[in-house]
Amino acid sequence: MTELTVLKVDVPLAAQEVAVVSYARGGQWQRAEALYKLLQGRGHVAAGATTQELAGADAGALAPAHCVVARALARQGQLSEAYAMLNRMMREEMRIDPGTFSSVAASCMDHGETALAEEVLEMRDYL
């Protein structure tokens, strides 16, 4: 990807999403997370499979990546999956940044799920 950036090659966002999955499967989690965030910043909505691919890694070391995935799931309207991820992260005693709870709760509100938003915020307050 670095070479493509240097050469200023315009690669479609969907093709870059494939690179996220490749990085994740190859164990290059920092690159996968960085590219995933970049795509989100450009307004690209990743497929659920890409988001789930990022979620399947070693839990403790990848807490920041899990937070990104939880936020992305919520933004994509996959609220139950985002909530389940937050629960899983809490069970595994991962460090969850407070902004993740706020982001997921805001997405819940955007989708009309106020009760779920309140539950997410209660989770944050518990920590």
Side-chain angles (χ1 to χ4, degrees):
M1 293 301 302
T2 303
E3 293 84 2
L4 295 173
T5 303
V6 170
L7 295 172
K8 298 181 181 180
V9 175
D10 186 27
V11 179
L13 297 178
Q16 292 181 41
E17 184 177 338
V18 174
V20 171
V21 173
S22 296
Y23 284 147
R25 288 182 181 165
Q28 297 182 26
W29 296 105
Q30 290 178 333
R31 282 186 169 179
E33 181 182 356
L35 183 55
Y36 191 84
K37 284 181 177 180
L38 180 71
L39 292 174
Q40 280 188 316
R42 293 181 179 165
H44 180 71
V45 177
T50 300
T51 307
Q52 293 295 339
E53 188 72 38
L54 286 176
D58 176 32
L62 296 173
H66 281 73
C67 288
V68 168
V69 172
R71 290 191 304 265
L73 284 168
R75 280 191 211 115
Q76 293 173 4
Q78 299 179 43
L79 303 175
S80 59
E81 290 87 349
Y83 181 75
M85 177 163 277
L86 288 175
N87 277 318
R88 190 168 43 253
M89 292 171 69
M90 289 178 68
R91 275 194 314 274
E92 294 177 16
E93 298 181 2
M94 296 172 120
R95 186 185 166 282
I96 306 171
D97 65 273
T100 297
F101 290 108
S102 299
S103 178
V104 171
S107 292
C108 290
M109 294 295 288
D110 290 345
H111 289 89
E113 296 287 340
T114 55
L116 187 56
E118 288 177 15
E119 210 169 314
V120 169
L121 292 175
E122 286 177 14
M123 291 168 70
R124 178 195 64 189
D125 295 341
Y126 174 74
L127 294 178

